[in-house]
């Protein structure tokens, strides 16, 4: 199992013909530098820090990428840590013992995996957090952005408003 997008993410981020924000005029287009995984990562950040888990029914039926793109490989421990931290916060609201926490977290990680996430629970949680984050982004960044620059500026403003206040 690998990374799966929210069903509406491709449309929201204007992904067509291997580029993001396809509606951007070509002379203004720097979105070719963005990967579809960049959008997934922004959603994952929002999901783990702000909104929580999405629904499995919101995910596309097939993965869009196996493993991390080259530019994200050095962040594998950080990304795994985001998932673990989000799960610790989520589970802390329930009646869990220290041993229960350890068991749940152990299900998420695989130190031998190139992503450091287990192929089952770890990747699945990442996809659900990214789906939840997408829902948060799509709801709070309306109308949807039409360029990479607009998305990044508005995402930064949203992040500052929401994360700085927590």
């Amino acid at each position: 199992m690998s990374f799966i997008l929210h069903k509406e993410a491709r449309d929201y981020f204007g992904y067509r013909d291997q580029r993001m924000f396809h509606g951007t005029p070509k002379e203004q287009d720097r979105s070719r530098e963005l990967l579809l995984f960049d959008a997934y990562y922004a959603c994952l950040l929002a999901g783990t820090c702000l909104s929580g888990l999405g629904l499995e029914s919101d995910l596309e039926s097939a993965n869009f990428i196996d493993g991390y793109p080259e530019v994200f490989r050095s962040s594998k421990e950080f990304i795994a840590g985001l998932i673990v931290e989000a799960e610790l916060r989520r589970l802390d609201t329930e009646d869990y013992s220290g041993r229960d926490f350890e068991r749940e977290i152990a299900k998420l990680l695989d130190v031998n995996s190139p992503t450091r996430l287990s192929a089952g629970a770890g990747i699945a949680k990442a996809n659900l957090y990214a789906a939840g984050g997408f829902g948060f982004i799509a709801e709070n960044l309306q109308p949807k952005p039409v360029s990479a620059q607009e998305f990044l500026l508005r995402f930064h403003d949203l992040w500052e408003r929401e994360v700085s206040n927590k």
Side-chain angles (χ1 to χ4, degrees), residues 98-115:
R99 190 137 172 89
D100 291 333
F101 276 123
E102 287 178 24
R103 265 187 291 229
E104 290 301 312
I105 299 310
K107 291 178 189 175
L108 301 173
L109 301 174
D110 180 356
V111 295
N112 296 316
S113 166
T115 63

PDB file of all heavy atoms in Angstrom, residues 98-115:
ATOM      1  N   GLY A  98       0.115   3.215  29.129  1.00  0.00           N
ATOM      2  CA  GLY A  98       1.383   3.398  28.421  1.00  0.00           C
ATOM      3  C   GLY A  98       1.671   2.235  27.488  1.00  0.00           C
ATOM      4  O   GLY A  98       2.163   2.410  26.374  1.00  0.00           O
ATOM      5  N   ARG A  99       1.354   1.043  27.936  1.00  0.00           N
ATOM      6  CA  ARG A  99       1.588  -0.150  27.106  1.00  0.00           C
ATOM      7  C   ARG A  99       0.678  -0.147  25.875  1.00  0.00           C
ATOM      8  O   ARG A  99       1.100  -0.544  24.789  1.00  0.00           O
ATOM      9  CB  ARG A  99       1.356  -1.399  27.946  1.00  0.00           C
ATOM     10  CG  ARG A  99       1.788  -2.661  27.279  1.00  0.00           C
ATOM     11  CD  ARG A  99       2.521  -3.536  28.295  1.00  0.00           C
ATOM     12  NE  ARG A  99       2.802  -4.839  27.779  1.00  0.00           N
ATOM     13  CZ  ARG A  99       3.916  -5.116  27.123  1.00  0.00           C
ATOM     14  NH1 ARG A  99       4.805  -4.176  26.909  1.00  0.00           N
ATOM     15  NH2 ARG A  99       4.136  -6.328  26.685  1.00  0.00           N
ATOM     16  N   ASP A 100      -0.565   0.287  26.047  1.00  0.00           N
ATOM     17  CA  ASP A 100      -1.491   0.377  24.910  1.00  0.00           C
ATOM     18  C   ASP A 100      -0.971   1.368  23.872  1.00  0.00           C
ATOM     19  O   ASP A 100      -1.039   1.113  22.667  1.00  0.00           O
ATOM     20  CB  ASP A 100      -2.883   0.814  25.379  1.00  0.00           C
ATOM     21  CG  ASP A 100      -3.585  -0.247  26.209  1.00  0.00           C
ATOM     22  OD1 ASP A 100      -3.296  -1.442  26.024  1.00  0.00           O
ATOM     23  OD2 ASP A 100      -4.438   0.131  27.035  1.00  0.00           O
ATOM     24  N   PHE A 101      -0.454   2.507  24.357  1.00  0.00           N
ATOM     25  CA  PHE A 101       0.143   3.488  23.452  1.00  0.00           C
ATOM     26  C   PHE A 101       1.267   2.859  22.653  1.00  0.00           C
ATOM     27  O   PHE A 101       1.349   3.010  21.434  1.00  0.00           O
ATOM     28  CB  PHE A 101       0.698   4.688  24.226  1.00  0.00           C
ATOM     29  CG  PHE A 101      -0.303   5.746  24.557  1.00  0.00           C
ATOM     30  CD1 PHE A 101      -0.504   6.129  25.873  1.00  0.00           C
ATOM     31  CD2 PHE A 101      -1.029   6.391  23.566  1.00  0.00           C
ATOM     32  CE1 PHE A 101      -1.419   7.115  26.194  1.00  0.00           C
ATOM     33  CE2 PHE A 101      -1.941   7.383  23.872  1.00  0.00           C
ATOM     34  CZ  PHE A 101      -2.144   7.745  25.192  1.00  0.00           C
ATOM     35  N   GLU A 102       2.154   2.172  23.327  1.00  0.00           N
ATOM     36  CA  GLU A 102       3.307   1.539  22.663  1.00  0.00           C
ATOM     37  C   GLU A 102       2.848   0.587  21.571  1.00  0.00           C
ATOM     38  O   GLU A 102       3.412   0.569  20.478  1.00  0.00           O
ATOM     39  CB  GLU A 102       4.167   0.797  23.678  1.00  0.00           C
ATOM     40  CG  GLU A 102       4.977   1.699  24.569  1.00  0.00           C
ATOM     41  CD  GLU A 102       5.780   0.925  25.593  1.00  0.00           C
ATOM     42  OE1 GLU A 102       6.086  -0.270  25.364  1.00  0.00           O
ATOM     43  OE2 GLU A 102       6.102   1.518  26.638  1.00  0.00           O
ATOM     44  N   ARG A 103       1.853  -0.226  21.874  1.00  0.00           N
ATOM     45  CA  ARG A 103       1.351  -1.188  20.891  1.00  0.00           C
ATOM     46  C   ARG A 103       0.768  -0.488  19.661  1.00  0.00           C
ATOM     47  O   ARG A 103       1.023  -0.889  18.527  1.00  0.00           O
ATOM     48  CB  ARG A 103       0.285  -2.092  21.509  1.00  0.00           C
ATOM     49  CG  ARG A 103       0.857  -3.408  22.015  1.00  0.00           C
ATOM     50  CD  ARG A 103      -0.263  -4.287  22.447  1.00  0.00           C
ATOM     51  NE  ARG A 103      -0.761  -3.623  23.628  1.00  0.00           N
ATOM     52  CZ  ARG A 103      -1.014  -4.147  24.812  1.00  0.00           C
ATOM     53  NH1 ARG A 103      -0.970  -5.333  24.993  1.00  0.00           N
ATOM     54  NH2 ARG A 103      -1.370  -3.485  25.841  1.00  0.00           N
ATOM     55  N   GLU A 104      -0.020   0.553  19.902  1.00  0.00           N
ATOM     56  CA  GLU A 104      -0.631   1.286  18.792  1.00  0.00           C
ATOM     57  C   GLU A 104       0.426   1.976  17.928  1.00  0.00           C
ATOM     58  O   GLU A 104       0.345   1.963  16.708  1.00  0.00           O
ATOM     59  CB  GLU A 104      -1.646   2.309  19.303  1.00  0.00           C
ATOM     60  CG  GLU A 104      -2.899   1.698  19.871  1.00  0.00           C
ATOM     61  CD  GLU A 104      -3.649   0.837  18.873  1.00  0.00           C
ATOM     62  OE1 GLU A 104      -3.861   1.282  17.727  1.00  0.00           O
ATOM     63  OE2 GLU A 104      -4.027  -0.293  19.244  1.00  0.00           O
ATOM     64  N   ILE A 105       1.398   2.571  18.553  1.00  0.00           N
ATOM     65  CA  ILE A 105       2.451   3.272  17.814  1.00  0.00           C
ATOM     66  C   ILE A 105       3.322   2.272  17.051  1.00  0.00           C
ATOM     67  O   ILE A 105       3.719   2.520  15.907  1.00  0.00           O
ATOM     68  CB  ILE A 105       3.283   4.167  18.751  1.00  0.00           C
ATOM     69  CG1 ILE A 105       2.400   5.229  19.397  1.00  0.00           C
ATOM     70  CG2 ILE A 105       4.462   4.779  18.025  1.00  0.00           C
ATOM     71  CD1 ILE A 105       1.510   6.017  18.456  1.00  0.00           C
ATOM     72  N   ALA A 106       3.597   1.129  17.661  1.00  0.00           N
ATOM     73  CA  ALA A 106       4.406   0.102  16.995  1.00  0.00           C
ATOM     74  C   ALA A 106       3.743  -0.373  15.705  1.00  0.00           C
ATOM     75  O   ALA A 106       4.432  -0.732  14.740  1.00  0.00           O
ATOM     76  CB  ALA A 106       4.647  -1.074  17.937  1.00  0.00           C
ATOM     77  N   LYS A 107       2.422  -0.360  15.648  1.00  0.00           N
ATOM     78  CA  LYS A 107       1.698  -0.762  14.431  1.00  0.00           C
ATOM     79  C   LYS A 107       1.949   0.204  13.280  1.00  0.00           C
ATOM     80  O   LYS A 107       1.811  -0.150  12.122  1.00  0.00           O
ATOM     81  CB  LYS A 107       0.195  -0.823  14.699  1.00  0.00           C
ATOM     82  CG  LYS A 107      -0.239  -1.927  15.611  1.00  0.00           C
ATOM     83  CD  LYS A 107      -1.742  -1.833  15.827  1.00  0.00           C
ATOM     84  CE  LYS A 107      -2.215  -2.768  16.904  1.00  0.00           C
ATOM     85  NZ  LYS A 107      -3.663  -2.591  17.180  1.00  0.00           N
ATOM     86  N   LEU A 108       2.301   1.453  13.605  1.00  0.00           N
ATOM     87  CA  LEU A 108       2.468   2.485  12.588  1.00  0.00           C
ATOM     88  C   LEU A 108       3.842   2.488  11.935  1.00  0.00           C
ATOM     89  O   LEU A 108       3.982   2.980  10.823  1.00  0.00           O
ATOM     90  CB  LEU A 108       2.237   3.872  13.202  1.00  0.00           C
ATOM     91  CG  LEU A 108       0.882   4.141  13.838  1.00  0.00           C
ATOM     92  CD1 LEU A 108       0.894   5.487  14.533  1.00  0.00           C
ATOM     93  CD2 LEU A 108      -0.212   4.059  12.792  1.00  0.00           C
ATOM     94  N   LEU A 109       4.837   1.985  12.636  1.00  0.00           N
ATOM     95  CA  LEU A 109       6.220   2.166  12.197  1.00  0.00           C
ATOM     96  C   LEU A 109       6.860   0.884  11.699  1.00  0.00           C
ATOM     97  O   LEU A 109       6.552  -0.207  12.158  1.00  0.00           O
ATOM     98  CB  LEU A 109       7.047   2.728  13.355  1.00  0.00           C
ATOM     99  CG  LEU A 109       6.564   4.066  13.921  1.00  0.00           C
ATOM    100  CD1 LEU A 109       7.374   4.440  15.147  1.00  0.00           C
ATOM    101  CD2 LEU A 109       6.619   5.150  12.866  1.00  0.00           C
ATOM    102  N   ASP A 110       7.789   1.054  10.764  1.00  0.00           N
ATOM    103  CA  ASP A 110       8.631  -0.030  10.265  1.00  0.00           C
ATOM    104  C   ASP A 110       9.975   0.588   9.901  1.00  0.00           C
ATOM    105  O   ASP A 110      10.093   1.264   8.874  1.00  0.00           O
ATOM    106  CB  ASP A 110       7.997  -0.699   9.045  1.00  0.00           C
ATOM    107  CG  ASP A 110       8.839  -1.829   8.478  1.00  0.00           C
ATOM    108  OD1 ASP A 110       9.971  -2.072   8.969  1.00  0.00           O
ATOM    109  OD2 ASP A 110       8.370  -2.467   7.514  1.00  0.00           O
ATOM    110  N   VAL A 111      10.973   0.376  10.739  1.00  0.00           N
ATOM    111  CA  VAL A 111      12.278   1.008  10.518  1.00  0.00           C
ATOM    112  C   VAL A 111      12.956   0.507   9.251  1.00  0.00           C
ATOM    113  O   VAL A 111      13.858   1.161   8.734  1.00  0.00           O
ATOM    114  CB  VAL A 111      13.221   0.838  11.729  1.00  0.00           C
ATOM    115  CG1 VAL A 111      12.672   1.559  12.944  1.00  0.00           C
ATOM    116  CG2 VAL A 111      13.481  -0.632  12.025  1.00  0.00           C
ATOM    117  N   ASN A 112      12.526  -0.617   8.724  1.00  0.00           N
ATOM    118  CA  ASN A 112      13.111  -1.151   7.496  1.00  0.00           C
ATOM    119  C   ASN A 112      12.420  -0.645   6.235  1.00  0.00           C
ATOM    120  O   ASN A 112      12.881  -0.892   5.128  1.00  0.00           O
ATOM    121  CB  ASN A 112      13.076  -2.680   7.522  1.00  0.00           C
ATOM    122  CG  ASN A 112      13.941  -3.224   8.639  1.00  0.00           C
ATOM    123  OD1 ASN A 112      15.054  -2.760   8.849  1.00  0.00           O
ATOM    124  ND2 ASN A 112      13.411  -4.183   9.383  1.00  0.00           N
ATOM    125  N   SER A 113      11.324   0.056   6.397  1.00  0.00           N
ATOM    126  CA  SER A 113      10.591   0.592   5.257  1.00  0.00           C
ATOM    127  C   SER A 113      11.241   1.892   4.789  1.00  0.00           C
ATOM    128  O   SER A 113      11.683   2.700   5.605  1.00  0.00           O
ATOM    129  CB  SER A 113       9.140   0.867   5.678  1.00  0.00           C
ATOM    130  OG  SER A 113       8.497   1.676   4.726  1.00  0.00           O
ATOM    131  N   PRO A 114      11.277   2.143   3.489  1.00  0.00           N
ATOM    132  CA  PRO A 114      11.833   3.405   2.993  1.00  0.00           C
ATOM    133  C   PRO A 114      11.059   4.638   3.470  1.00  0.00           C
ATOM    134  O   PRO A 114      11.586   5.733   3.495  1.00  0.00           O
ATOM    135  CB  PRO A 114      11.737   3.282   1.470  1.00  0.00           C
ATOM    136  CG  PRO A 114      11.490   1.855   1.187  1.00  0.00           C
ATOM    137  CD  PRO A 114      10.898   1.235   2.409  1.00  0.00           C
ATOM    138  N   THR A 115       9.800   4.450   3.880  1.00  0.00           N
ATOM    139  CA  THR A 115       9.010   5.564   4.397  1.00  0.00           C
ATOM    140  C   THR A 115       9.057   5.634   5.920  1.00  0.00           C
ATOM    141  O   THR A 115       8.600   6.616   6.504  1.00  0.00           O
ATOM    142  CB  THR A 115       7.529   5.426   3.982  1.00  0.00           C
ATOM    143  OG1 THR A 115       6.994   4.244   4.571  1.00  0.00           O
ATOM    144  CG2 THR A 115       7.363   5.432   2.481  1.00  0.00           C
TER     145      THR A 115
END
